[in-house]
């Protein structure tokens, strides 16, 4: 399936010519340098509000007019941003309600960015107005190819407007019935029963912060508020420029917004990718990043995503910002493309002369010329990307899915009990993703309400909370021949964090897995149990369920404690499918061996039949195969036949050596 918006890979990034308004010769130099660097696109206007509306109602688009024309004359696509990510000082001064109120109840003063109130009618009106002006002005401009809405929506506001909006949101959710809310929040506990909606406030450190159901509502309300803010932003764009695709840039696995939900409102998913390469754990960092790419790719089935930002060298916001070794950023960009990105974009094109980000990596450094290591790297990559047009729009189907669900992440974070310190939901999902990724088996990363039916195997680590309908969907999937893996603490609560009664896992999941989970043990640091599986001993850490097999076959048993010899890994045949329950947490060892057994058992297809040295990773997109080396050593891949090396334009076969931080792309 191919569905892209361009016929080539977009190579460019954030460009802030408004910072160089008094030096027009720099704009001309930028065009020359962009051509040299094989840059074909620029994202502009992200933080340009104070430039285009210097005073309320006074507009000056002259700089945007000029730069749009100039970019077009130079053959660059423009991704035009709406400016709501940072407002001009006059706006904050005149309308303080646009400023965010922190959890403390104190309203912020003007400053920094990404900190507007999500509800303020005035801010929404002002944003809509400026967006309308932008759309009207540039609707016929040939350079305009995409809208970039705001920048990295994030955070929350606790002002009175937002509190009131929260109460209204709750009234809708609970059918205007405060007793329903009392029941769902279990307000009989600690005498919290309410008799009026006005008694509800946002969760706060010095207020209510122990009602997990309420915190889940707040998370969802904040997420919905961002989406409704976004919908307000894009209404004029949809009307005036209906053919221009719309995106907004997401931030990794940021949990303040349910990105899986938000993605439904976008034409194209995009995200800002800043792996911590400077931490000296490149292989692990690459695995984490691959997972995130796959999560974003999976949000729009059949469609590529954009890597809207990345740094061409270092960032400025780590404690210590080490320069990445040569080749690593290029490899990181290639990884994005391998996993489904149709763009490689940077923050930013030219380094700022002043301000907070003047030491953040950029394609053009303060020296202003092209004779730098970073510029050479970017240019080389740009030239290589031009050779990869065959992957554009390509989306590869996966046979394996990992359920990583934003809302389950909230629920896992909020509940109190068992092991309260070792909860890292994302890390747990990545652990299960890794064995497939390392073997070269493509994996989708999906929410629990995605369609399971197209997968041979669905793994749902730590699926603690079940959204409505999930029990039936898992049951139906397995019954019809699907293979499903659940782990400890599966199916404990519903969407309001209310425990399922009648034994865990919830309802008929007990039949699907053929197990009943009676208790859960938590292991303090340093205390371990063990599990024997296939004649090998594995460590149990942090948490484990004590389960009874009720129809399931035990594949592994606990080695110690009062639950010694009780089942720890089970398999159950249900309908035409199989359900596995892995009752304990382990480091990668067990997960790797167990997943490798599943790969064999279900004959899960590798992306391509290459023989990889340990440490090399492979990914297929369309007919193009990417082999990547994130290790510090030379590695070898043995090809099963002759391929065309797309970068060098030569035929390759047999064994190929891949240098550290390097890659091979073949078709
Ligand atoms: C991003 C942001 C950019 C820039 C960059 C620096 O999160 O969208 O505007 O600040 O970080 O790494």
């Amino acid at each position: 399936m191919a569905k892209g918006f361009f016929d080539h890979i977009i190579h460019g990034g954030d460009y802030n010519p408004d910072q160089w308004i008094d030096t027009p010769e720099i704009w001309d130099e930028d065009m020359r340098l962009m051509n040299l660097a094989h840059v074909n696109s620029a994202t502009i206007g992200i933080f340009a509000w104070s430039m285009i509306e210097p005073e309320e109602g006074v507009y000056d688009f002259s700089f945007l007019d000029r730069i749009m024309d100039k970019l077009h004359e130079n053959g660059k696509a423009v991704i035009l941003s709406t400016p709501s990510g940072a407002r001009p000082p006059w706006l904050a001064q005149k309308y303080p309600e646009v400023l965010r109120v922190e959890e403390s109840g104190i309203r912020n003063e003007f400053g920094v960015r990404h900190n507007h109130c999500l509800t303020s009618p005035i801010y929404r009106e002002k944003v809509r107005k400026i967006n309308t002006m932008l759309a009207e002005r540039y609707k016929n401009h040939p350079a305009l190819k995409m809208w970039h809405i705001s920048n990295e929506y994030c955070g929350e506001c606790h002002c009175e407007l937002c509190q009131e909006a929260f109460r209204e949101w709750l009234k809708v959710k609970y059918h205007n019935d405060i007793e329903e809310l009392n029941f769902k929040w279990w307000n009989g506990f600690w005498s919290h029963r309410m008799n009026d909606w006005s008694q509800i406030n946002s969760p706060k450190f010095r207020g209510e912060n122990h009602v997990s159901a309420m915190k889940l509502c707040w998370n969802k309300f904040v997420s919905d508020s961002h989406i409704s803010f976004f919908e307000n932003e894009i209404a004029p764009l949809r009307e005036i420029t209906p053919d221009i695709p719309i995106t907004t840039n997401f931030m990794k696995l940021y949990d303040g917004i349910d990105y899986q939900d938000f993605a439904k409102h976008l034409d194209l998913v995009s995200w800002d990718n800043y792996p911590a390469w400077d931490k000296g754990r490149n292989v692990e960092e690459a695995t984490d990043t691959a997972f995130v790419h796959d999560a974003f790719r999976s949000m729009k089935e059949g469609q590529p995503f954009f890597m809207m930002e990345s740094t061409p060298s270092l960032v400025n916001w780590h404690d210590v910002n080490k320069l990445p070794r040569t080749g690593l950023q290029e490899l990181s960009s290639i990884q994005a493309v391998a996993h489904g990105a149709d763009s490689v974009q940077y923050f930013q094109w030219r380094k700022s002369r002043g301000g907070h980000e003047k030491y953040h990596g950029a394609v053009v450094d303060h020296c202003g010329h092209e004779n730098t290591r970073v510029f050479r790297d970017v240019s080389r990559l740009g030239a290589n990307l031009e050779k990869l047009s065959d992957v554009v729009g390509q989306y590869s189907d996966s046979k394996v899915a990992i359920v990583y669900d934003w809302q389950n992440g909230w629920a896992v974070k909020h509940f109190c009990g068992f092991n309260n310190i070792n909860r890292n939901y994302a890390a747990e999902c990545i652990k299960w993703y890794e064995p497939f990724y390392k073997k070269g088996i493509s994996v989708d990363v999906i929410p629990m309400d995605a369609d399971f039916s197209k997968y041979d195997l669905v793994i749902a680590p730590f699926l603690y909370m079940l959204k409505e309908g999930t029990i039936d969907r898992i049951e139906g999937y397995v019954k019809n021949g699907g293979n499903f893996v659940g782990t400890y603490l599966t199916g404990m609560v519903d969407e309001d964090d209310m425990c399922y009664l009648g034994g865990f896992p919830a309802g008929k999941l007990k039949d699907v897995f053929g197990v009943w989970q009676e208790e859960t043990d938590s292991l303090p640091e340093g205390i371990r149990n063990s599990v024997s599986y296939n004649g090998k001993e594995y460590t149990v850490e942090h948490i484990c369920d004590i389960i009874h097999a009720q129809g399931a076959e035990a594949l592994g048993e606990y080695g110690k404690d009062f639950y010694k010899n009780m089942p720890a890994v089970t398999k159950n045949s249900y309908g035409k499918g199989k359900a596995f329950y892995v009752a304990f947490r382990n480091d990668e060892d067990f997960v790797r061996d167990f997943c490798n057994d599943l790969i064999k058992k279900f004959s899960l297809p590798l992306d391509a039949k290459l023989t990889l040295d340990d440490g090399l990773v492979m990914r297929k997109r369309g007919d193009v195969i990417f082999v990547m080396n994130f290790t510090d050593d030379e590695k070898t891949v043995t090809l099963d036949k002759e391929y065309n090396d797309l970068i060098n334009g030569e035929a390759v076969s047999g064994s190929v050596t891949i240098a550290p931080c390097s890659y091979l792309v073949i078709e």
Side-chain angles (χ1 to χ4, degrees):
M1 242 187 296
K3 188 171 182 254
F5 291 99
F6 296 90
D7 58 5
H8 55 277
I9 293 176
I10 287 294
H11 186 222
D14 285 21
Y15 179 38
N16 297 302
D18 33 329
Q19 293 177 13
W20 303 94
I21 203 121
D22 299 326
T23 43
E25 64 283 5
I26 283 194
W27 290 17
D28 290 330
E29 181 63 354
D30 282 333
M31 297 304 122
R32 184 185 77 82
L33 292 170
M34 282 185 191
N35 290 335
L36 265 185
H38 301 262
V39 157
N40 54 35
S41 158
T43 310
I44 59 172
I46 304 184
F47 300 114
W49 197 341
S50 63
M51 192 69 93
I52 54 185
E53 193 180 355
E55 287 172 44
E56 187 170 16
V58 176
Y59 299 95
D60 177 3
F61 290 98
S62 55
F63 107 85
L64 264 186
D65 291 351
R66 279 186 286 130
I67 199 69
M68 292 278 288
D69 290 349
K70 200 176 268 297
L71 286 163
H72 180 61
E73 282 154 22
N74 283 276
K76 315 293 172 221
V78 167
I79 300 180
L80 184 56
S81 187
T82 64
S84 68
R87 78 204 73 78
W90 60 257
L91 207 160
Q93 190 175 37
K94 179 157 179 202
Y95 307 104
E97 73 161 52
V98 307
L99 296 169
R100 194 167 280 185
V101 171
E102 296 297 333
E103 203 212 272
S104 60
I106 299 170
R107 193 178 290 282
N108 288 337
E109 292 181 18
F110 175 79
V112 290
R113 58 175 176 172
H114 300 163
N115 54 8
H116 55 264
C117 168
L118 302 175
T119 308
S120 158
I122 290 172
Y123 199 54
R124 287 186 177 214
E125 181 198 312
K126 292 287 176 198
V127 167
R128 205 169 163 125
K129 173 83 179 138
I130 193 90
N131 291 4
T132 307
M133 302 280 288
L134 283 169
E136 281 295 352
R137 191 158 190 104
Y138 299 112
K139 64 182 174 200
N140 295 320
H141 200 290
L144 175 63
K145 299 292 181 216
M146 189 178 286
W147 287 109
H148 174 292
I149 305 303
S150 197
N151 193 63
E152 296 188 337
Y153 282 124
C154 56
E156 54 191 45
C157 175
H158 294 258
C159 75
E160 246 330 297
L161 292 168
C162 289
Q163 306 277 354
E164 200 44 42
F166 181 43
R167 291 174 200 123
E168 291 306 314
W169 184 95
L170 289 169
K171 282 185 197 165
V172 173
K173 177 169 162 96
Y174 295 121
H175 310 98
N176 217 2
D177 179 359
I178 194 91
E179 286 311 330
E180 185 179 339
L181 177 141
N182 278 325
F183 174 69
K184 296 286 188 173
W185 289 10
W186 211 245
N187 276 346
F189 180 74
W190 284 351
S191 189
H192 280 196
R193 193 174 295 282
M194 295 169 172
N195 61 11
D196 196 90
W197 299 94
S198 60
Q199 290 153 2
I200 300 167
N201 292 307
S202 58
K204 294 195 183 69
F205 178 68
R206 54 181 186 88
E208 185 57 85
N209 58 51
H210 273 38
V211 177
S212 49
M214 178 219 202
K215 292 205 271 190
L216 285 176
C217 286
W218 175 254
N219 288 142
K220 183 77 173 77
F221 161 74
V222 169
S223 184
D224 285 357
S225 303
H226 281 288
I227 294 172
S228 100
F229 188 92
F230 166 86
E231 285 293 344
N232 173 70
E233 280 220 39
I234 67 167
L237 312 183
R238 289 272 187 235
E239 201 183 308
I240 302 165
T241 59
D243 299 328
I244 302 294
I246 289 179
T247 191
T248 187
N249 48 341
F250 289 157
M251 295 183 284
K252 211 176 172 184
L253 302 179
Y254 171 68
D255 75 348
I257 298 175
D258 178 351
Y259 282 159
Q260 288 162 329
D261 187 25
F262 201 150
K264 296 176 199 149
H265 300 255
L266 306 175
D267 296 324
L268 176 100
V269 169
S270 65
W271 80 284
D272 298 345
N273 179 22
Y274 292 96
W277 296 126
D278 53 5
K279 297 268 186 307
R281 49 186 292 282
N282 293 351
V283 171
E284 293 82 356
E285 197 66 29
T287 309
D288 293 358
T289 307
F291 176 85
V292 183
H293 282 311
D294 282 334
F296 285 118
R297 177 184 51 76
S298 305
M299 284 179 196
K300 286 227 175 270
E301 197 196 332
Q303 210 183 286
F305 63 92
F306 265 30
M307 181 169 76
M308 190 56 86
E309 289 180 26
S310 61
T311 173
S313 61
L314 38 61
V315 296
N316 68 336
W317 41 267
H318 290 164
D319 286 349
V320 178
N321 297 284
K322 179 159 182 9
L323 285 169
R325 61 183 290 177
T326 298
L328 194 49
Q329 290 303 348
E330 181 174 345
L331 179 60
S332 178
S333 301
I334 285 292
Q335 182 192 34
V337 175
H339 282 263
D342 268 4
S343 83
V344 170
Q345 291 160 279
Y346 309 105
F347 177 86
Q348 59 177 332
W349 166 254
R350 180 181 282 275
K351 255 185 203 179
S352 311
R353 186 166 184 192
H356 182 66
E357 292 183 323
K358 58 182 171 297
Y359 297 122
H360 190 288
V363 181
V364 181
D365 212 323
H366 291 131
C367 66
H369 57 64
E370 64 267 40
N371 301 315
T372 63
R373 182 179 77 111
V374 171
F375 192 93
R376 278 191 297 275
D377 287 356
V378 167
S379 310
R380 187 181 54 241
L381 173 65
N384 288 349
L385 292 175
E386 286 169 0
K387 300 170 187 164
L388 300 183
S389 303
D390 280 4
V391 300
V392 174
Q394 294 293 333
Y395 184 93
S396 304
D397 285 322
S398 308
K399 288 283 153 211
V400 180
I402 302 281
V403 174
Y404 173 79
D405 186 287
W406 251 258
Q407 295 188 29
N408 184 51
W410 296 337
V412 162
K413 187 158 102 179
H414 295 324
F415 77 83
C416 180
F418 309 118
N419 192 326
N420 283 316
I421 50 172
N422 288 299
R423 285 280 174 84
N424 196 335
Y425 175 50
E428 202 50 13
C429 291
I430 293 170
K431 200 200 298 174
W432 283 89
Y433 168 88
E434 187 170 355
F436 300 94
Y437 157 76
K438 290 214 161 143
K439 277 232 140 88
I441 295 176
S442 166
V443 178
D444 285 357
V445 177
I446 57 172
M448 70 178 90
D449 31 19
D451 174 16
F452 297 158
S453 66
K454 59 181 181 169
Y455 301 108
D456 291 347
L457 176 65
V458 175
I459 301 178
F462 208 164
L463 193 63
Y464 163 78
M465 179 276 275
L466 301 176
K467 292 179 189 163
E468 206 182 324
T470 305
I471 299 177
D472 288 342
R473 294 179 52 266
I474 296 174
E475 196 253 355
Y477 169 67
V478 179
K479 196 176 187 172
N480 290 321
N483 302 298
F484 192 88
V485 179
T487 73
Y488 54 89
L489 292 184
T490 288
M492 302 289 288
V493 297
D494 66 11
E495 283 175 83
D496 289 292
D497 205 34
M498 284 179 93
C499 288
Y500 285 102
L501 300 181
F504 304 118
K508 58 188 167 193
L509 288 184
K510 282 185 284 300
D511 302 327
V512 176
F513 288 110
V515 301
W516 166 45
Q517 184 256 87
E518 187 184 348
E519 288 182 274
T520 296
D521 199 8
S522 302
L523 308 181
E525 282 306 328
I527 295 185
R528 300 271 199 269
N529 202 324
S530 67
V531 161
S532 57
Y533 166 79
N534 270 349
K536 222 172 133 180
E537 291 285 306
Y538 297 89
T539 310
V540 175
E541 57 181 13
H542 303 158
I543 196 150
C544 60
D545 285 347
I546 299 170
I547 57 172
H548 301 274
Q550 296 185 334
E553 177 192 341
L555 303 178
E557 285 97 27
Y558 288 111
K560 286 206 291 223
D561 220 321
F562 67 91
Y563 42 99
K564 181 175 176 177
N565 295 333
M566 285 182 75
V569 190
T570 60
K571 175 175 91 176
N572 193 40
S573 297
Y574 185 86
K576 295 189 207 141
K578 303 258 179 296
F580 298 83
Y581 198 90
V582 175
F584 65 103
R585 184 183 275 190
N586 176 263
D587 56 20
E588 306 79 54
D589 291 355
F590 171 81
V591 174
R592 185 196 53 233
D593 290 351
F594 183 71
C595 289
N596 285 341
D597 290 344
L598 296 178
I599 291 169
K600 270 192 234 135
K601 184 175 171 60
F602 300 123
S603 312
L604 297 169
L606 305 190
D607 278 5
K609 290 194 186 105
L610 311 184
T611 313
L612 305 171
D613 265 4
D614 209 25
L616 281 183
V617 283
M618 145 180 98
R619 181 77 192 191
K620 190 166 178 211
R621 191 171 168 203
D623 293 328
V624 177
I625 303 165
F626 297 78
V627 185
M628 295 162 275
N629 184 4
F630 286 96
T631 74
D632 292 329
D633 307 309
E634 265 190 3
K635 298 277 174 188
T636 302
V637 53
T638 309
L639 308 178
D640 56 328
K641 56 181 186 198
E642 187 175 286
Y643 288 91
N644 184 16
D645 179 334
L646 291 182
I647 303 298
N648 297 327
E650 293 164 355
V652 274
S653 57
S655 291
V656 182
T657 303
I658 305 187
C661 292
S662 186
Y663 58 93
L664 173 75
V665 190
I666 53 178
E667 190 172 22

